[in-house]
Amino acid sequence: MEGHVNFTLSDRLRKSPYYEATLRAGAKTFTIYNHMIMPTSYEGAEADYWNLMNNVTMWDVAAERQVEITGSDAFKFVEYITSRDLSKLQIGQGKYALITDEDGGIINDPIILRLGESHFWLSIADSDVLLWTRGLACGLGWDVNICEPDVSPLAIQGPNHLPLMIDLFGDWVMDVKYFFFKECELEGIPLIVQKSGWSKQGGFELYLRDGSKGEELWDIIANAGKKYDIKPGTPNNIERVESGLFSWGNDMDINSNPLELPLGNFCQLDKEAEYLSREALHKIRSEGPTKKLVGLIVDGDPFVGGCASPWKVMSDNQVCGKVSSAAYSPRLKINMAMATINNSHNEIDSEVMVETPWGTRSAKVTSIPFN
Amino acid sequence: MEGHVNFTLSDRLRKSPYYEATLRAGAKTFTIYNHMIMPTSYEGAEADYWNLMNNVTMWDVAAERQVEITGSDAFKFVEYITSRDLSKLQIGQGKYALITDEDGGIINDPIILRLGESHFWLSIADSDVLLWTRGLACGLGWDVNICEPDVSPLAIQGPNHLPLMIDLFGDWVMDVKYFFFKECELEGIPLIVQKSGWSKQGGFELYLRDGSKGEELWDIIANAGKKYDIKPGTPNNIERVESGLFSWGNDMDINSNPLELPLGNFCQLDKEAEYLSREALHKIRSEGPTKKLVGLIVDGDPFVGGCASPWKVMSDNQVCGKVSSAAYSPRLKINMAMATINNSHNEIDSEVMVETPWGTRSAKVTSIPFN
């Protein structure tokens, strides 16, 4: 199969609490994310896309691990690791933030949840934030405790998620604002229920707080969802590219910095609190970033897969950037790509060439999201 | 196939410089290791095992990434992160070491190579040591620079490796002592050649220092190896369990400590240099560890795969430990397992029960290695 290989299981690669349930539900392909096996498709990328776009889906995203930070310096520490201004972060609220190092490089892009005055979770992408934060805290000698708790998110995503959520939890879910959350139980299973998820089709994430109850929780949702024709799903590459959701490790990493991304709203470089990357980011700002992450609409036949290795972006036979994510949108009927391109060619409507696995194609720079 | 799933490729999951070459050579299954795709078999675990045991094999182990540490505090820092005494580590020498945190938990178990007075590589197992060390150094404020250089090991392993190595590099390779290394070139390709590798069948690792030359290096070795009937291979689960090579993430992790492992020779808890986990490890030593990693010989039919999830070790219907690695040895004709077992049942010749995927089996505690 295009873009797939046969994969050896190992104890080193952790099973999600929902793993057996996802096999029963027909999970067909997988990835490794935070040292954990995560399903990536059931019926295929496009069929899964329509299930997500048209109705409601449930996803095993246990691999979105949590890094828990407590202790008397916890709040100061969480401010210290990001340029996002967290001074108004309420208990019961989450905020998307870029974790950056002393050079401004992006370590990860979690949602930061505030569970208590000095109690935070970082709901992370695919790098060992546990090691970064523990190392840093250890070197600083600050009073924080950092661990990975037994927490495994299950996402309910899609435009028709709300009636199911009301059936399960009650009317209060209608009043939850984006990225806010509530601690609660479902048939005795301890959860945090947050209005969030890695799609723009609406929905919630249920942070399971007892890994032994994974299959039980999965079955409760699947059964309650039957009357709404719920389908198993996964983070979907087509939808997330359309919606402009970036993927750490693809579209950004330790060699990128926040000023190269269209994420200005999430970076307050002049915030009051002390933070590690202030000096580096101010320097980059004053010099100006040399490249930018932009969208590309690419000509030619529909892509028959995503971007499994960086694709060169060319102009006048010179490399001027690289594509890090791509998908054909069966709804918008365009080939979409996310690319980091040098300043010479990253203005809207600039024309470039892209070396795809299916030949060299002309492309035009556009804004993100695509829809 | 038992113990295998279908796997989605992504730009987030890095390709090794040898990736295309390994596909050409017939790589059949893969894993993810340090965010990189690594082959795990060619002809199958047992056929690959015999190729390794009987002759000579070449492995893509680029996923064994390097963390480079330089700067005026580099030596002090490298001593600080491990209980291994590195005071006599020579330039041109490597030592196996456990990297431990402030609680004594094992972050990783690299080979530490000393390239210069203040120039080190950690040749790492599967966790983001880059983030741990950078975070720690950043918090400490020490003068070190830490990065992941463009270095990708290729291993040549097996009892008949020496004539091939002499053909490639000359007679000097005969005099290289275990874990010592030399900087050199092969047809203009910059390498470090070390007597090392993740098997006990003898051999070398060639640390390629220019990722653009991966296929070229692969082909040079493959062609020179033809007269010795070299085969492509990978780290082999059967051989490494027989030989007692532990796998970080399987047999040890951040929740284990060095005193639970039979690795006393690699830990000098009273070494002179300052190190982070001294207090924690001294406390564990004085209280005594509560469990130990031991070998098990397990009764019954040959295992038809490895340990893809922890297997419970039982005694009197109580859980007393867990198996983290397992294989049937077609040479020793025994079922081998590595298990961490509570003090109540970890003495040599203790009898326990093991819940394997192929039924509950009786087993006897033995020492490691098995051969």
Side-chain angles (χ1 to χ4, degrees), chain A residues 3-9 11-12 15 30-32 35 40 101 103 126 128 134-136 139 250 307-310, chain B residues 3-9 11-12 15 30-32 35 40 101 103 126 128 134-136 139 250 307-310:
Chain A
H4 291 85
V5 295
N6 210 345
F7 190 78
T8 309
L9 298 179
D11 187 13
R12 176 174 54 81
K15 310 291 175 304
F30 299 84
T31 189
I32 295 298
H35 310 274
T40 52
D101 68 15
D103 303 322
D126 181 32
D128 293 342
R134 288 193 62 169
L136 185 61
N250 286 292
C307 177
S309 291
Chain B
H4 290 85
V5 295
N6 211 344
F7 190 77
T8 308
L9 298 179
D11 187 14
R12 175 174 54 81
K15 309 293 175 304
F30 299 84
T31 189
I32 296 298
H35 309 273
T40 52
D101 69 14
D103 303 321
D126 180 32
D128 292 342
R134 288 193 62 169
L136 184 61
N250 285 293
C307 178
S309 292

Side-chain angles (χ1 to χ4, degrees), chain A residues 24 34 46 58 79 97 108 113 131 150 186 191 241 258 261 280 292 302 304 308 331 335 349 371:
Chain A
R24 275 194 279 115
N34 285 322
E46 191 172 329
M58 57 189 290
E79 282 273 33
N108 203 286
L113 290 79
L131 298 187
D150 174 10
L186 183 67
L191 300 173
V241 175
L261 300 168
K292 262 196 326 207
V304 291
R331 190 171 55 86
N335 285 317
D349 291 333
N371 51 3

Side-chain angles (χ1 to χ4, degrees), chain B residues 158-173:
Chain B
N160 297 338
H161 66 275
L162 204 55
L164 170 61
M165 284 297 297
I166 292 170
D167 287 357
L168 288 165
F169 295 97
D171 285 344
W172 62 266
V173 297

Side-chain angles (χ1 to χ4, degrees), chain B residues 298-317:
Chain B
V298 183
D299 292 342
D301 290 338
F303 296 155
V304 290
C307 178
S309 292
W311 302 347
K312 282 182 194 160
V313 179
M314 311 288 292
S315 180
D316 298 328
N317 295 314

